[in-house]
Amino acid sequence: EAQVTQNPRYLITVTGKKLTVTCSQNMNHEYMSWYRQDPGLGLRQIYYSMNVEVTDKGDVPEGYKVSRKEKRNFPLILESPSPNQTSLYFCASSLGQDYNEQFFGPGTRLTVL
Amino acid sequence: GNSVTQMEGPVTLSEEAFLTINCTYTATGYPSLFWYVQYPGEGLQLLLKATKADDKGSNKGFEATYRKETTSFHLEKGSVQVSDSAVYFCALRNAGGTSYGKLTFGQGTILTVHP
């Protein structure tokens, strides 16, 4: 089944404790992206990647890092989480940046205390 | 920069009522326009899309027409069902510039349909 998977689905952590949210897709997609969803703000792009070893900042990259060492994986790293990073996070992928449909993962709900 | 504005929610309707969710956008160039739907506890799914002016996207009884003159892409359905209860997001895909390919989302509209 073609899909985007994220882990964990739910995470409660404390300020300053490094964490990684994994994202994997099995569709051989080149383009991958991370969004955060906050009430009243919709989804905002954090980082994106057009291919292996090619990443760039989105609208709200502060406090986040990403890497793209393999085509299928695009982990999101929070080196020192803070409470304002409490949010619902979505990973998405598409064949390329030109393609109309992005496929979304199920989301990761992160709470930083 | 690009932006998408959706009508304020939440929207509550009875089954078989007519649905309209307004969406307007600001963008440079000629973006593609989308409606995504998010069912409870799930990720976003593409509902419909339109890639150029006057295109009509349709799926599952929902429709939206790309109106360049009014920069709008309103979502409509003639008869909603309880199963349509979800959050609906209007979005555009940048047509060019430094963020080519990025999706810009509206704030989302919560729809609740009662039997």
mmCIF file of all heavy atoms in Angstrom, chain A residues 9 31 35 37 40-43 45 48 56 58-59 88 90 97-107, chain B residues 32 34 36 38 41-46 49 51 87 89 93 98-108:
data_model
loop_
_atom_site.group_PDB
_atom_site.id
_atom_site.type_symbol
_atom_site.label_atom_id
_atom_site.label_comp_id
_atom_site.label_asym_id
_atom_site.label_seq_id
_atom_site.Cartn_x
_atom_site.Cartn_y
_atom_site.Cartn_z
ATOM 1 N N ARG A 9 3.306 8.698 16.737
ATOM 2 C CA ARG A 9 2.058 9.411 16.469
ATOM 3 C C ARG A 9 1.762 10.414 17.577
ATOM 4 O O ARG A 9 1.156 11.453 17.319
ATOM 5 C CB ARG A 9 0.901 8.421 16.366
ATOM 6 C CG ARG A 9 0.976 7.476 15.185
ATOM 7 C CD ARG A 9 0.713 8.218 13.866
ATOM 8 N NE ARG A 9 -0.474 9.047 13.934
ATOM 9 C CZ ARG A 9 -1.703 8.610 13.735
ATOM 10 N NH1 ARG A 9 -1.916 7.337 13.472
ATOM 11 N NH2 ARG A 9 -2.729 9.447 13.781
ATOM 12 N N TYR A 31 10.045 14.653 -3.782
ATOM 13 C CA TYR A 31 9.766 15.845 -2.982
ATOM 14 C C TYR A 31 9.143 15.437 -1.661
ATOM 15 O O TYR A 31 8.149 14.696 -1.627
ATOM 16 C CB TYR A 31 8.821 16.762 -3.757
ATOM 17 C CG TYR A 31 8.544 18.108 -3.140
ATOM 18 C CD1 TYR A 31 9.351 19.203 -3.411
ATOM 19 C CD2 TYR A 31 7.455 18.306 -2.301
ATOM 20 C CE1 TYR A 31 9.099 20.451 -2.867
ATOM 21 C CE2 TYR A 31 7.183 19.542 -1.750
ATOM 22 C CZ TYR A 31 8.008 20.619 -2.041
ATOM 23 O OH TYR A 31 7.753 21.860 -1.506
ATOM 24 N N TYR A 35 5.205 19.983 7.683
ATOM 25 C CA TYR A 35 4.301 21.078 8.029
ATOM 26 C C TYR A 35 3.965 20.959 9.512
ATOM 27 O O TYR A 35 3.956 19.882 10.078
ATOM 28 C CB TYR A 35 2.996 20.995 7.244
ATOM 29 C CG TYR A 35 3.122 21.160 5.757
ATOM 30 C CD1 TYR A 35 3.378 20.061 4.934
ATOM 31 C CD2 TYR A 35 2.960 22.399 5.154
ATOM 32 C CE1 TYR A 35 3.482 20.207 3.562
ATOM 33 C CE2 TYR A 35 3.053 22.558 3.781
ATOM 34 C CZ TYR A 35 3.312 21.456 2.993
ATOM 35 O OH TYR A 35 3.404 21.603 1.631
ATOM 36 N N GLN A 37 0.680 22.140 12.064
ATOM 37 C CA GLN A 37 -0.699 22.609 12.036
ATOM 38 C C GLN A 37 -1.054 23.168 13.395
ATOM 39 O O GLN A 37 -0.972 22.470 14.414
ATOM 40 C CB GLN A 37 -1.653 21.464 11.686
ATOM 41 C CG GLN A 37 -3.105 21.897 11.609
ATOM 42 C CD GLN A 37 -4.038 20.739 11.315
ATOM 43 O OE1 GLN A 37 -3.635 19.582 11.220
ATOM 44 N NE2 GLN A 37 -5.307 21.040 11.138
ATOM 45 N N GLY A 40 -6.305 27.874 13.837
ATOM 46 C CA GLY A 40 -6.454 29.208 13.269
ATOM 47 C C GLY A 40 -5.370 29.612 12.296
ATOM 48 O O GLY A 40 -5.455 30.678 11.681
ATOM 49 N N LEU A 41 -4.353 28.773 12.145
ATOM 50 C CA LEU A 41 -3.231 29.117 11.265
ATOM 51 C C LEU A 41 -3.102 28.163 10.080
ATOM 52 O O LEU A 41 -2.255 28.376 9.208
ATOM 53 C CB LEU A 41 -1.920 29.120 12.051
ATOM 54 C CG LEU A 41 -1.814 30.154 13.165
ATOM 55 C CD1 LEU A 41 -0.496 29.991 13.917
ATOM 56 C CD2 LEU A 41 -1.945 31.581 12.610
ATOM 57 N N GLY A 42 -3.887 27.119 10.045
ATOM 58 C CA GLY A 42 -3.740 26.145 8.968
ATOM 59 C C GLY A 42 -2.432 25.396 9.087
ATOM 60 O O GLY A 42 -1.895 25.207 10.176
ATOM 61 N N LEU A 43 -1.895 24.966 7.957
ATOM 62 C CA LEU A 43 -0.614 24.276 7.937
ATOM 63 C C LEU A 43 0.460 25.221 7.414
ATOM 64 O O LEU A 43 0.259 25.922 6.424
ATOM 65 C CB LEU A 43 -0.671 23.048 7.023
ATOM 66 C CG LEU A 43 -1.268 21.793 7.607
ATOM 67 C CD1 LEU A 43 -2.783 21.880 7.645
ATOM 68 C CD2 LEU A 43 -0.836 20.568 6.805
ATOM 69 N N GLN A 45 4.626 25.418 6.319
ATOM 70 C CA GLN A 45 5.743 24.567 5.932
ATOM 71 C C GLN A 45 6.980 24.876 6.787
ATOM 72 O O GLN A 45 7.363 26.037 6.956
ATOM 73 C CB GLN A 45 6.071 24.762 4.458
ATOM 74 C CG GLN A 45 7.053 23.732 3.910
ATOM 75 C CD GLN A 45 7.393 23.984 2.461
ATOM 76 O OE1 GLN A 45 7.826 25.073 2.096
ATOM 77 N NE2 GLN A 45 7.185 22.990 1.624
ATOM 78 N N TYR A 48 11.544 21.607 3.449
ATOM 79 C CA TYR A 48 11.232 20.723 2.353
ATOM 80 C C TYR A 48 12.515 20.190 1.736
ATOM 81 O O TYR A 48 13.611 20.734 1.966
ATOM 82 C CB TYR A 48 10.348 21.395 1.303
ATOM 83 C CG TYR A 48 10.995 22.540 0.552
ATOM 84 C CD1 TYR A 48 11.595 22.336 -0.683
ATOM 85 C CD2 TYR A 48 10.966 23.826 1.079
ATOM 86 C CE1 TYR A 48 12.169 23.390 -1.371
ATOM 87 C CE2 TYR A 48 11.547 24.886 0.399
ATOM 88 C CZ TYR A 48 12.141 24.664 -0.828
ATOM 89 O OH TYR A 48 12.717 25.708 -1.517
ATOM 90 N N ASP A 56 15.714 22.612 2.084
ATOM 91 C CA ASP A 56 15.635 24.073 2.181
ATOM 92 C C ASP A 56 14.559 24.459 3.177
ATOM 93 O O ASP A 56 13.655 23.673 3.497
ATOM 94 C CB ASP A 56 15.339 24.695 0.820
ATOM 95 C CG ASP A 56 15.890 26.125 0.710
ATOM 96 O OD1 ASP A 56 16.297 26.697 1.759
ATOM 97 O OD2 ASP A 56 15.908 26.656 -0.397
ATOM 98 N N GLY A 58 11.383 26.294 4.898
ATOM 99 C CA GLY A 58 10.046 26.750 4.566
ATOM 100 C C GLY A 58 9.756 28.054 5.274
ATOM 101 O O GLY A 58 10.639 28.886 5.462
ATOM 102 N N ASP A 59 8.527 28.198 5.725
ATOM 103 C CA ASP A 59 8.108 29.453 6.353
ATOM 104 C C ASP A 59 8.492 29.569 7.824
ATOM 105 O O ASP A 59 8.685 30.668 8.330
ATOM 106 C CB ASP A 59 6.586 29.605 6.229
ATOM 107 C CG ASP A 59 6.151 29.776 4.801
ATOM 108 O OD1 ASP A 59 6.890 30.427 4.030
ATOM 109 O OD2 ASP A 59 5.069 29.260 4.445
ATOM 110 N N LEU A 88 0.769 19.909 15.948
ATOM 111 C CA LEU A 88 0.506 18.697 15.175
ATOM 112 C C LEU A 88 1.360 18.783 13.917
ATOM 113 O O LEU A 88 1.253 19.750 13.163
ATOM 114 C CB LEU A 88 -0.976 18.604 14.834
ATOM 115 C CG LEU A 88 -1.455 17.397 14.036
ATOM 116 C CD1 LEU A 88 -1.105 16.095 14.748
ATOM 117 C CD2 LEU A 88 -2.967 17.495 13.816
ATOM 118 N N PHE A 90 2.882 17.238 10.282
ATOM 119 C CA PHE A 90 2.596 16.367 9.146
ATOM 120 C C PHE A 90 3.773 16.336 8.191
ATOM 121 O O PHE A 90 4.343 17.367 7.844
ATOM 122 C CB PHE A 90 1.376 16.860 8.369
ATOM 123 C CG PHE A 90 0.083 16.659 9.093
ATOM 124 C CD1 PHE A 90 -0.518 17.697 9.764
ATOM 125 C CD2 PHE A 90 -0.532 15.408 9.098
ATOM 126 C CE1 PHE A 90 -1.711 17.500 10.436
ATOM 127 C CE2 PHE A 90 -1.723 15.206 9.756
ATOM 128 C CZ PHE A 90 -2.316 16.257 10.440
ATOM 129 N N GLN A 97 8.239 18.529 -7.212
ATOM 130 C CA GLN A 97 7.628 19.796 -6.790
ATOM 131 C C GLN A 97 6.584 20.263 -7.801
ATOM 132 O O GLN A 97 5.725 21.065 -7.456
ATOM 133 C CB GLN A 97 8.695 20.849 -6.583
ATOM 134 C CG GLN A 97 9.447 21.198 -7.849
ATOM 135 C CD GLN A 97 10.574 22.190 -7.601
ATOM 136 O OE1 GLN A 97 11.690 21.960 -7.993
ATOM 137 N NE2 GLN A 97 10.282 23.272 -6.951
ATOM 138 N N ASP A 98 6.643 19.751 -9.031
ATOM 139 C CA ASP A 98 5.687 20.152 -10.051
ATOM 140 C C ASP A 98 4.390 19.373 -9.966
ATOM 141 O O ASP A 98 3.413 19.723 -10.625
ATOM 142 C CB ASP A 98 6.266 19.939 -11.451
ATOM 143 C CG ASP A 98 7.405 20.890 -11.731
ATOM 144 O OD1 ASP A 98 7.580 21.829 -10.954
ATOM 145 O OD2 ASP A 98 8.105 20.666 -12.722
ATOM 146 N N TYR A 99 4.369 18.288 -9.211
ATOM 147 C CA TYR A 99 3.206 17.437 -9.219
ATOM 148 C C TYR A 99 2.147 17.956 -8.271
ATOM 149 O O TYR A 99 2.437 18.439 -7.190
ATOM 150 C CB TYR A 99 3.592 15.995 -8.876
ATOM 151 C CG TYR A 99 4.272 15.322 -10.032
ATOM 152 C CD1 TYR A 99 5.606 15.560 -10.310
ATOM 153 C CD2 TYR A 99 3.568 14.480 -10.875
ATOM 154 C CE1 TYR A 99 6.230 14.967 -11.394
ATOM 155 C CE2 TYR A 99 4.178 13.876 -11.956
ATOM 156 C CZ TYR A 99 5.513 14.128 -12.216
ATOM 157 O OH TYR A 99 6.124 13.547 -13.283
ATOM 158 N N ASN A 100 0.901 17.832 -8.708
ATOM 159 C CA ASN A 100 -0.182 18.477 -7.987
ATOM 160 C C ASN A 100 -0.531 17.835 -6.658
ATOM 161 O O ASN A 100 -0.915 18.516 -5.744
ATOM 162 C CB ASN A 100 -1.433 18.529 -8.864
ATOM 163 C CG ASN A 100 -1.339 19.627 -9.898
ATOM 164 O OD1 ASN A 100 -0.830 20.700 -9.620
ATOM 165 N ND2 ASN A 100 -1.821 19.362 -11.083
ATOM 166 N N GLU A 101 -0.435 16.539 -6.565
ATOM 167 C CA GLU A 101 -0.915 15.915 -5.341
ATOM 168 C C GLU A 101 0.225 15.627 -4.385
ATOM 169 O O GLU A 101 1.205 14.968 -4.740
ATOM 170 C CB GLU A 101 -1.667 14.612 -5.630
ATOM 171 C CG GLU A 101 -2.211 13.967 -4.354
ATOM 172 C CD GLU A 101 -3.214 12.881 -4.613
ATOM 173 O OE1 GLU A 101 -3.431 12.527 -5.792
ATOM 174 O OE2 GLU A 101 -3.786 12.371 -3.631
ATOM 175 N N GLN A 102 0.090 16.121 -3.172
ATOM 176 C CA GLN A 102 0.984 15.743 -2.091
ATOM 177 C C GLN A 102 0.243 14.753 -1.202
ATOM 178 O O GLN A 102 -0.923 14.935 -0.881
ATOM 179 C CB GLN A 102 1.425 16.960 -1.280
ATOM 180 C CG GLN A 102 2.391 17.852 -2.042
ATOM 181 C CD GLN A 102 3.108 18.861 -1.171
ATOM 182 O OE1 GLN A 102 3.202 18.721 0.040
ATOM 183 N NE2 GLN A 102 3.643 19.898 -1.798
ATOM 184 N N PHE A 103 0.948 13.703 -0.803
ATOM 185 C CA PHE A 103 0.394 12.671 0.058
ATOM 186 C C PHE A 103 0.877 12.940 1.478
ATOM 187 O O PHE A 103 2.061 13.117 1.715
ATOM 188 C CB PHE A 103 0.854 11.285 -0.399
ATOM 189 C CG PHE A 103 0.307 10.895 -1.738
ATOM 190 C CD1 PHE A 103 0.925 11.326 -2.899
ATOM 191 C CD2 PHE A 103 -0.820 10.099 -1.838
ATOM 192 C CE1 PHE A 103 0.427 10.980 -4.147
ATOM 193 C CE2 PHE A 103 -1.323 9.738 -3.084
ATOM 194 C CZ PHE A 103 -0.703 10.184 -4.236
ATOM 195 N N PHE A 104 -0.066 12.925 2.409
ATOM 196 C CA PHE A 104 0.255 13.285 3.778
ATOM 197 C C PHE A 104 0.299 12.058 4.686
ATOM 198 O O PHE A 104 -0.485 11.111 4.516
ATOM 199 C CB PHE A 104 -0.787 14.264 4.323
ATOM 200 C CG PHE A 104 -0.595 15.658 3.816
ATOM 201 C CD1 PHE A 104 -1.003 16.013 2.544
ATOM 202 C CD2 PHE A 104 0.014 16.619 4.610
ATOM 203 C CE1 PHE A 104 -0.823 17.309 2.070
ATOM 204 C CE2 PHE A 104 0.200 17.910 4.150
ATOM 205 C CZ PHE A 104 -0.212 18.257 2.880
ATOM 206 N N GLY A 105 1.195 12.117 5.662
ATOM 207 C CA GLY A 105 1.210 11.125 6.718
ATOM 208 C C GLY A 105 0.083 11.372 7.704
ATOM 209 O O GLY A 105 -0.638 12.367 7.605
ATOM 210 N N PRO A 106 -0.083 10.489 8.704
ATOM 211 C CA PRO A 106 -1.200 10.584 9.639
ATOM 212 C C PRO A 106 -1.022 11.647 10.715
ATOM 213 O O PRO A 106 -1.966 11.947 11.428
ATOM 214 C CB PRO A 106 -1.238 9.191 10.272
ATOM 215 C CG PRO A 106 0.177 8.730 10.207
ATOM 216 C CD PRO A 106 0.724 9.284 8.937
ATOM 217 N N GLY A 107 0.168 12.208 10.834
ATOM 218 C CA GLY A 107 0.394 13.264 11.809
ATOM 219 C C GLY A 107 1.061 12.777 13.082
ATOM 220 O O GLY A 107 0.911 11.617 13.479
ATOM 221 N N SER B 32 -1.779 26.690 -8.891
ATOM 222 C CA SER B 32 -2.786 25.638 -8.867
ATOM 223 C C SER B 32 -3.518 25.732 -7.530
ATOM 224 O O SER B 32 -2.928 26.118 -6.522
ATOM 225 C CB SER B 32 -2.127 24.266 -9.008
ATOM 226 O OG SER B 32 -1.493 24.125 -10.252
ATOM 227 N N PHE B 34 -6.306 23.938 -4.624
ATOM 228 C CA PHE B 34 -6.676 22.630 -4.092
ATOM 229 C C PHE B 34 -7.656 22.792 -2.934
ATOM 230 O O PHE B 34 -7.663 23.802 -2.237
ATOM 231 C CB PHE B 34 -5.443 21.901 -3.533
ATOM 232 C CG PHE B 34 -4.303 21.785 -4.497
ATOM 233 C CD1 PHE B 34 -3.377 22.799 -4.620
ATOM 234 C CD2 PHE B 34 -4.168 20.656 -5.284
ATOM 235 C CE1 PHE B 34 -2.322 22.709 -5.515
ATOM 236 C CE2 PHE B 34 -3.119 20.551 -6.183
ATOM 237 C CZ PHE B 34 -2.198 21.583 -6.289
ATOM 238 N N TYR B 36 -8.222 20.264 0.354
ATOM 239 C CA TYR B 36 -7.860 19.064 1.086
ATOM 240 C C TYR B 36 -8.876 18.849 2.195
ATOM 241 O O TYR B 36 -9.436 19.808 2.740
ATOM 242 C CB TYR B 36 -6.468 19.202 1.708
ATOM 243 C CG TYR B 36 -5.324 18.901 0.770
ATOM 244 C CD1 TYR B 36 -4.847 19.875 -0.097
ATOM 245 C CD2 TYR B 36 -4.722 17.650 0.757
ATOM 246 C CE1 TYR B 36 -3.794 19.594 -0.956
ATOM 247 C CE2 TYR B 36 -3.673 17.359 -0.094
ATOM 248 C CZ TYR B 36 -3.205 18.341 -0.953
ATOM 249 O OH TYR B 36 -2.170 18.066 -1.803
ATOM 250 N N GLN B 38 -9.534 16.732 5.958
ATOM 251 C CA GLN B 38 -8.899 16.027 7.075
ATOM 252 C C GLN B 38 -9.990 15.440 7.949
ATOM 253 O O GLN B 38 -10.691 16.165 8.655
ATOM 254 C CB GLN B 38 -8.026 16.985 7.870
ATOM 255 C CG GLN B 38 -7.263 16.339 9.009
ATOM 256 C CD GLN B 38 -6.437 17.344 9.796
ATOM 257 O OE1 GLN B 38 -6.770 18.524 9.863
ATOM 258 N NE2 GLN B 38 -5.341 16.890 10.372
ATOM 259 N N GLY B 41 -8.554 12.480 13.284
ATOM 260 C CA GLY B 41 -7.444 11.579 13.580
ATOM 261 C C GLY B 41 -6.617 11.159 12.392
ATOM 262 O O GLY B 41 -5.749 10.282 12.521
ATOM 263 N N GLU B 42 -6.863 11.757 11.237
ATOM 264 C CA GLU B 42 -6.139 11.348 10.032
ATOM 265 C C GLU B 42 -5.346 12.508 9.430
ATOM 266 O O GLU B 42 -5.511 13.659 9.810
ATOM 267 C CB GLU B 42 -7.129 10.815 8.990
ATOM 268 C CG GLU B 42 -7.880 9.580 9.449
ATOM 269 C CD GLU B 42 -8.792 9.039 8.357
ATOM 270 O OE1 GLU B 42 -8.669 9.475 7.191
ATOM 271 O OE2 GLU B 42 -9.615 8.168 8.678
ATOM 272 N N GLY B 43 -4.504 12.169 8.467
ATOM 273 C CA GLY B 43 -3.804 13.188 7.712
ATOM 274 C C GLY B 43 -4.704 13.802 6.653
ATOM 275 O O GLY B 43 -5.860 13.437 6.510
ATOM 276 N N LEU B 44 -4.142 14.742 5.914
ATOM 277 C CA LEU B 44 -4.911 15.415 4.872
ATOM 278 C C LEU B 44 -4.991 14.551 3.627
ATOM 279 O O LEU B 44 -4.040 13.868 3.266
ATOM 280 C CB LEU B 44 -4.262 16.747 4.507
ATOM 281 C CG LEU B 44 -4.540 17.935 5.429
ATOM 282 C CD1 LEU B 44 -3.828 17.772 6.743
ATOM 283 C CD2 LEU B 44 -4.133 19.228 4.761
ATOM 284 N N GLN B 45 -6.140 14.621 2.955
ATOM 285 C CA GLN B 45 -6.312 13.928 1.681
ATOM 286 C C GLN B 45 -6.737 14.949 0.639
ATOM 287 O O GLN B 45 -7.553 15.820 0.928
ATOM 288 C CB GLN B 45 -7.417 12.873 1.777
ATOM 289 C CG GLN B 45 -7.235 11.829 2.833
ATOM 290 C CD GLN B 45 -8.460 10.944 2.950
ATOM 291 O OE1 GLN B 45 -9.238 10.796 2.015
ATOM 292 N NE2 GLN B 45 -8.634 10.340 4.112
ATOM 293 N N LEU B 46 -6.212 14.808 -0.551
ATOM 294 C CA LEU B 46 -6.625 15.695 -1.624
ATOM 295 C C LEU B 46 -8.077 15.412 -1.989
ATOM 296 O O LEU B 46 -8.445 14.272 -2.283
ATOM 297 C CB LEU B 46 -5.735 15.493 -2.844
ATOM 298 C CG LEU B 46 -6.066 16.360 -4.060
ATOM 299 C CD1 LEU B 46 -5.862 17.832 -3.742
ATOM 300 C CD2 LEU B 46 -5.209 15.946 -5.255
ATOM 301 N N LYS B 49 -8.907 19.480 -7.242
ATOM 302 C CA LYS B 49 -7.922 20.476 -7.641
ATOM 303 C C LYS B 49 -8.326 21.129 -8.954
ATOM 304 O O LYS B 49 -9.156 20.610 -9.697
ATOM 305 C CB LYS B 49 -6.542 19.841 -7.801
ATOM 306 C CG LYS B 49 -6.448 18.821 -8.934
ATOM 307 C CD LYS B 49 -5.041 18.272 -9.017
ATOM 308 C CE LYS B 49 -4.880 17.339 -10.224
ATOM 309 N NZ LYS B 49 -5.455 16.028 -9.983
ATOM 310 N N THR B 51 -6.125 23.557 -12.023
ATOM 311 C CA THR B 51 -4.787 24.037 -12.342
ATOM 312 C C THR B 51 -4.774 25.310 -13.182
ATOM 313 O O THR B 51 -3.713 25.922 -13.341
ATOM 314 C CB THR B 51 -3.984 22.964 -13.068
ATOM 315 O OG1 THR B 51 -4.694 22.586 -14.254
ATOM 316 C CG2 THR B 51 -3.797 21.738 -12.187
ATOM 317 N N VAL B 87 -12.461 18.565 8.611
ATOM 318 C CA VAL B 87 -11.878 19.895 8.443
ATOM 319 C C VAL B 87 -11.464 20.038 6.985
ATOM 320 O O VAL B 87 -10.812 19.147 6.438
ATOM 321 C CB VAL B 87 -10.658 20.114 9.364
ATOM 322 C CG1 VAL B 87 -10.142 21.540 9.218
ATOM 323 C CG2 VAL B 87 -11.019 19.827 10.814
ATOM 324 N N PHE B 89 -9.503 22.267 4.034
ATOM 325 C CA PHE B 89 -8.450 23.257 3.817
ATOM 326 C C PHE B 89 -8.379 23.636 2.344
ATOM 327 O O PHE B 89 -8.283 22.768 1.475
ATOM 328 C CB PHE B 89 -7.075 22.698 4.212
ATOM 329 C CG PHE B 89 -6.888 22.473 5.677
ATOM 330 C CD1 PHE B 89 -7.157 21.235 6.241
ATOM 331 C CD2 PHE B 89 -6.436 23.492 6.500
ATOM 332 C CE1 PHE B 89 -6.979 21.012 7.598
ATOM 333 C CE2 PHE B 89 -6.247 23.280 7.852
ATOM 334 C CZ PHE B 89 -6.525 22.042 8.400
ATOM 335 N N ARG B 93 -0.690 26.082 -4.750
ATOM 336 C CA ARG B 93 0.695 25.678 -4.957
ATOM 337 C C ARG B 93 1.397 26.778 -5.713
ATOM 338 O O ARG B 93 0.937 27.187 -6.785
ATOM 339 C CB ARG B 93 0.789 24.366 -5.716
ATOM 340 C CG ARG B 93 2.216 23.862 -5.906
ATOM 341 C CD ARG B 93 2.235 22.439 -6.466
ATOM 342 N NE ARG B 93 1.685 22.377 -7.813
ATOM 343 C CZ ARG B 93 2.388 22.617 -8.916
ATOM 344 N NH1 ARG B 93 3.660 22.955 -8.833
ATOM 345 N NH2 ARG B 93 1.816 22.523 -10.105
ATOM 346 N N THR B 98 11.029 31.449 -5.286
ATOM 347 C CA THR B 98 11.967 30.658 -4.501
ATOM 348 C C THR B 98 11.297 29.474 -3.804
ATOM 349 O O THR B 98 11.976 28.546 -3.385
ATOM 350 C CB THR B 98 12.652 31.523 -3.439
ATOM 351 O OG1 THR B 98 11.636 32.119 -2.632
ATOM 352 C CG2 THR B 98 13.479 32.621 -4.072
ATOM 353 N N SER B 99 10.015 29.499 -3.660
ATOM 354 C CA SER B 99 9.321 28.393 -2.984
ATOM 355 C C SER B 99 8.436 27.636 -3.950
ATOM 356 O O SER B 99 7.340 27.200 -3.600
ATOM 357 C CB SER B 99 8.482 28.927 -1.817
ATOM 358 O OG SER B 99 9.295 29.499 -0.840
ATOM 359 N N TYR B 100 8.919 27.469 -5.143
ATOM 360 C CA TYR B 100 8.158 26.762 -6.168
ATOM 361 C C TYR B 100 7.766 25.375 -5.673
ATOM 362 O O TYR B 100 8.602 24.611 -5.221
ATOM 363 C CB TYR B 100 9.015 26.662 -7.422
ATOM 364 C CG TYR B 100 8.344 26.003 -8.591
ATOM 365 C CD1 TYR B 100 7.038 26.313 -8.935
ATOM 366 C CD2 TYR B 100 9.008 25.069 -9.353
ATOM 367 C CE1 TYR B 100 6.428 25.717 -10.016
ATOM 368 C CE2 TYR B 100 8.415 24.469 -10.437
ATOM 369 C CZ TYR B 100 7.125 24.802 -10.770
ATOM 370 O OH TYR B 100 6.532 24.207 -11.849
ATOM 371 N N GLY B 101 6.485 25.065 -5.791
ATOM 372 C CA GLY B 101 5.997 23.768 -5.359
ATOM 373 C C GLY B 101 5.418 23.754 -3.965
ATOM 374 O O GLY B 101 4.692 22.835 -3.607
ATOM 375 N N LYS B 102 5.682 24.751 -3.166
ATOM 376 C CA LYS B 102 5.184 24.759 -1.795
ATOM 377 C C LYS B 102 3.671 24.953 -1.779
ATOM 378 O O LYS B 102 3.118 25.717 -2.549
ATOM 379 C CB LYS B 102 5.832 25.900 -1.014
ATOM 380 C CG LYS B 102 5.458 25.915 0.461
ATOM 381 C CD LYS B 102 6.020 27.129 1.154
ATOM 382 C CE LYS B 102 5.090 28.307 0.995
ATOM 383 N NZ LYS B 102 5.494 29.433 1.865
ATOM 384 N N LEU B 103 3.006 24.266 -0.882
ATOM 385 C CA LEU B 103 1.581 24.472 -0.643
ATOM 386 C C LEU B 103 1.397 25.541 0.422
ATOM 387 O O LEU B 103 1.997 25.465 1.488
ATOM 388 C CB LEU B 103 0.916 23.176 -0.188
ATOM 389 C CG LEU B 103 0.693 22.096 -1.239
ATOM 390 C CD1 LEU B 103 0.144 20.831 -0.588
ATOM 391 C CD2 LEU B 103 -0.262 22.576 -2.328
ATOM 392 N N THR B 104 0.550 26.517 0.129
ATOM 393 C CA THR B 104 0.152 27.518 1.111
ATOM 394 C C THR B 104 -1.293 27.250 1.476
ATOM 395 O O THR B 104 -2.157 27.204 0.594
ATOM 396 C CB THR B 104 0.297 28.937 0.531
ATOM 397 O OG1 THR B 104 1.667 29.170 0.212
ATOM 398 C CG2 THR B 104 -0.171 29.980 1.535
ATOM 399 N N PHE B 105 -1.580 27.053 2.773
ATOM 400 C CA PHE B 105 -2.891 26.634 3.235
ATOM 401 C C PHE B 105 -3.672 27.780 3.861
ATOM 402 O O PHE B 105 -3.099 28.685 4.477
ATOM 403 C CB PHE B 105 -2.759 25.536 4.289
ATOM 404 C CG PHE B 105 -2.345 24.209 3.738
ATOM 405 C CD1 PHE B 105 -1.008 23.885 3.597
ATOM 406 C CD2 PHE B 105 -3.301 23.265 3.368
ATOM 407 C CE1 PHE B 105 -0.623 22.654 3.089
ATOM 408 C CE2 PHE B 105 -2.920 22.032 2.871
ATOM 409 C CZ PHE B 105 -1.587 21.733 2.726
ATOM 410 N N GLY B 106 -4.987 27.694 3.749
ATOM 411 C CA GLY B 106 -5.858 28.505 4.563
ATOM 412 C C GLY B 106 -5.924 27.932 5.960
ATOM 413 O O GLY B 106 -5.322 26.899 6.266
ATOM 414 N N GLN B 107 -6.702 28.591 6.822
ATOM 415 C CA GLN B 107 -6.697 28.203 8.236
ATOM 416 C C GLN B 107 -7.557 26.991 8.530
ATOM 417 O O GLN B 107 -7.522 26.461 9.638
ATOM 418 C CB GLN B 107 -7.125 29.390 9.113
ATOM 419 C CG GLN B 107 -8.589 29.779 8.977
ATOM 420 C CD GLN B 107 -8.804 30.836 7.917
ATOM 421 O OE1 GLN B 107 -8.186 30.821 6.860
ATOM 422 N NE2 GLN B 107 -9.708 31.769 8.201
ATOM 423 N N GLY B 108 -8.323 26.526 7.553
ATOM 424 C CA GLY B 108 -9.171 25.359 7.768
ATOM 425 C C GLY B 108 -10.557 25.742 8.251
ATOM 426 O O GLY B 108 -10.737 26.704 8.996
#
